Amino acid sequence: MWLRRWQAYLFPGAAEADDGFRRQIQRLGATGLQVAGGVTIGTTLFLTVGRFFVQPEPETLRLRLIEAAVMFALGSLNFLFASWPNTARRARTIAVCSSLVTASTLILFSLLITGVAPSYEDFIPSLVTLVLLVSVAAYPLRPAQSFAMGLAMCVIYTVETSIIHRTLYLGSGPLRTNLLFIMMLSVLAAGLSGLLYRQRYLTYVSYERSLQAAEELREAQTRAVMAEQSITIAKIAAALSHEMNNPLGALKSSVDTLLLLTARQATAPPEDHCRLVRLQSDLRKAAQESIDRLSRIVTRMQRFANLDQAEIQEVDLNQLVEDAVALTRANLSSGITIETKLSALPRLECKPSQLSSVFLGIITHSVRAIGEGSGLIHACSEASSHGIDVVIDHDGTPLRDEQINSLFDPGFQVTGDRIAAGNWGMFGFRRMVREHGGDITVESPLPGNEKRQGTRFRIHLPLRTALISA
């Protein structure tokens, strides 16, 4: 087990078999070039100005300015490479090469300056440390890449110090202590790279899992809300069937009787014609009333379902409340009464189908709270400078405190070996209202109710909703 764990840290290349993680590493590499470029320019500027004030050394000023110019150029090249479109795929290779060139430049100028100020050779280990640690922090290097880069710097140090010492007689040549230090630093850089690389991978995996969980939650929400809507549609269909039976029956009877009277009129004696004409007029009037009633039912249903209309419209909320009340009354038991007290409201830009579902769902919830007994459901509306309030209350069984606290929280209920959705309807209603910029609040029991019964739902909507018309 421990061997696999160490292998995952030191040899994490298999992680990049995931296309998403590989693309993320490529983006981090391109970003690292910009970071390293900024660090190179900023550090060079700071050291150049700082040395001028701390140790002016006019005799080394020329070489230090040339060194600063070269470092500025290398930092600018990093920014240039990072801006190229195809840099991301080769970002780490460019980063390693840039770091090696930077280290080589710093070592070279440190050796050249030793001709005037011998103490500058002592800065070489610090400069190599700075370059290596910046590279490890800025670039998403694998441990092997960081270790190889450290060894390459060790070779560069050995070659440059040997050549400068033999040709220009500057410096002390490659020092064993410095070589040992750079090699130890290479091992440290490899360990740090492994740790950072592993953290990046675990962060990526955690992010992907959170996205997957969020997607599964959205799918579960959609399925639960669709289930709630299916139940609502089934209730609406039952209500419409009940409400349409009477006008359809009356219309069928009127048409049948009209056909019969028309047939009799052809053979009836003249003295019966006036009576038959009056009967036909009454039947036509009854048929027209039935047709008008059916038309109102169809119009109400179209408003509820928002058929053949734009999703966002300006509507009168009172009409939506009346539609929901009418659809609910069709299946009410004889003991339940619904009263309305609707004030004049300004027209509101909203999604009528959503708000109709909210009103119908809360009225249906109130009916269930009353149960088989008798009770009163009251719906009212009022407008103010703060917005529009639609209040629906009932005098049925009140909600407990824990029920109020979790009323709008989606969840699942486990009954035996079956799992069912719970509260998803109320969760969906609040989400629809909040999409309009409003909210739903609940009071239970009703204020002033002596028996401490009932519940009040207040749907508040701003005069200008948060919706954007298409």
Side-chain angles (χ1 to χ4, degrees):
M1 181 65 67
W2 63 270
L3 183 60
R4 290 182 180 179
R5 185 174 298 176
W6 276 104
Q7 185 178 7
Y9 274 89
L10 297 178
F11 303 100
E16 294 185 32
D18 187 321
D19 290 338
F21 182 65
R22 185 174 64 253
R23 288 193 296 268
Q24 180 176 342
I25 288 295
Q26 291 174 350
R27 289 193 296 269
L28 288 174
T31 303
L33 285 173
Q34 294 179 334
V35 172
V39 171
T40 300
I41 294 174
T43 303
T44 301
L45 181 62
F46 175 78
L47 292 177
T48 301
V49 175
R51 283 178 181 176
F52 179 78
F53 286 104
V54 176
Q55 287 181 306
E57 297 179 356
E59 63 275 10
T60 64
L61 181 59
R62 180 173 173 273
L63 284 174
R64 285 190 281 119
L65 290 177
I66 296 175
E67 178 187 20
V70 174
M71 295 303 296
F72 267 98
L74 290 176
S76 301
L77 281 176
N78 277 1
F79 280 108
L80 180 62
F81 284 129
S83 65
W84 286 357
N86 296 326
T87 297
R89 296 180 181 178
R90 305 175 180 85
R92 282 184 295 192
T93 302
I94 296 173
V96 170
C97 294
S98 175
S99 298
L100 293 178
V101 172
T102 300
S104 176
T105 301
L106 292 173
I107 293 172
L108 176 61
F109 277 95
S110 295
L111 292 173
L112 293 176
I113 295 174
T114 56
V116 180
S119 61
Y120 269 76
E121 188 175 7
D122 298 334
F123 289 108
I124 291 178
S126 301
L127 296 174
V128 173
T129 301
L130 178 63
V131 173
L132 194 55
L133 292 184
V134 168
S135 300
V136 169
Y139 307 128
L141 299 177
R142 299 176 191 170
Q145 293 170 330
S146 296
F147 184 70
M149 185 170 61
L151 293 182
M153 290 183 184
C154 190
V155 172
I156 290 172
Y157 168 75
T158 302
V159 173
E160 285 191 346
T161 53
S162 298
I163 293 175
I164 296 297
H165 182 66
R166 291 179 182 178
T167 57
L168 301 178
Y169 304 104
L170 299 175
S172 306
L175 299 177
R176 293 181 180 180
T177 54
N178 287 349
L179 290 172
L180 181 61
F181 176 80
I182 296 174
M183 292 181 66
M184 182 186 68
L185 192 63
S186 301
V187 175
L188 176 62
L192 290 175
S193 293
L195 180 62
L196 291 174
Y197 195 95
R198 184 66 177 173
Q199 287 179 340
R200 290 185 178 107
Y201 178 68
L202 293 178
T203 300
Y204 168 78
V205 171
S206 176
Y207 175 71
E208 287 293 313
R209 288 176 179 173
S210 65
L211 287 181
Q212 183 178 0
E215 184 63 28
E216 291 175 355
L217 178 60
R218 280 194 295 270
E219 291 177 359
Q221 291 175 357
T222 301
R223 289 195 297 269
V225 171
M226 288 179 65
E228 291 280 352
Q229 290 178 345
S230 298
I231 295 173
T232 302
I233 290 173
K235 293 179 179 179
I236 292 173
L240 287 174
S241 175
H242 182 274
E243 193 171 355
M244 287 177 129
N245 276 336
N246 291 336
L248 281 175
L251 181 61
K252 181 177 183 300
S253 175
S254 299
V255 172
D256 290 342
T257 305
L258 275 173
L259 292 175
L260 180 61
L261 289 177
T262 301
R264 285 185 178 182
Q265 189 175 10
T267 58
E271 59 271 17
D272 291 339
H273 283 191
C274 290
R275 182 174 61 85
L276 293 175
V277 168
R278 286 195 302 271
L279 289 174
Q280 289 175 350
S281 177
D282 292 340
L283 288 172
R284 282 195 298 269
K285 183 178 179 181
Q288 186 62 48
E289 289 177 352
S290 298
I291 292 172
D292 291 342
R293 186 175 175 184
L294 287 172
S295 178
R296 287 194 299 270
I297 294 172
V298 171
T299 301
R300 181 181 298 129
M301 190 57 196
Q302 284 180 333
R303 275 199 303 268
F304 188 88
N306 210 21
L307 297 176
D308 300 327
Q309 296 180 11
E311 187 179 13
I312 299 176
Q313 304 174 52
E314 280 193 358
V315 298
D316 183 357
L317 288 187
N318 287 337
Q319 189 66 62
L320 302 184
V321 175
E322 290 175 349
D323 291 344
V325 169
L327 289 172
T328 307
R329 277 177 175 154
N331 288 328
L332 278 182
S333 62
S334 57
I336 300 178
T337 304
I338 302 180
E339 295 181 354
T340 59
K341 184 180 179 181
L342 306 176
S343 304
L345 300 177
R347 295 181 69 82
L348 184 72
E349 190 176 59
C350 65
K351 294 181 178 180
S353 60
Q354 287 191 358
L355 296 184
S356 295
S357 298
V358 172
F359 299 146
L360 180 62
I362 292 179
I363 293 174
T364 303
H365 179 277
S366 301
V367 172
R368 287 199 299 264
I370 296 174
E372 299 297 330
S374 61
L376 174 65
I377 298 173
H378 186 260
C380 66
S381 63
E382 55 186 5
S384 67
S385 59
H386 301 291
I388 296 174
D389 288 326
V390 175
V391 180
I392 300 171
D393 56 43
H394 64 82
D395 57 4
T397 304
L399 297 172
R400 299 188 301 274
D401 290 341
E402 59 270 20
Q403 290 178 312
I404 294 176
N405 294 333
S406 61
L407 182 62
F408 299 107
D409 296 337
F412 296 94
Q413 300 171 347
V414 180
T415 305
D417 58 349
R418 302 184 64 182
I419 300 177
N423 287 345
W424 287 88
M426 285 295 178
F427 169 76
F429 297 153
R430 185 173 64 173
R431 187 182 63 180
M432 292 175 188
V433 173
R434 286 185 172 178
E435 183 180 339
H436 287 75
D439 204 356
I440 302 178
T441 56
V442 183
E443 290 181 272
S444 189
L446 287 175
N449 187 285
E450 296 180 356
K451 299 181 180 179
R452 296 189 62 78
Q453 291 286 103
T455 301
R456 172 169 295 163
F457 294 88
R458 182 179 297 273
I459 301 102
H460 174 77
L461 294 164
L463 295 177
R464 293 185 62 85
T465 62
L467 300 175
I468 299 176
S469 300

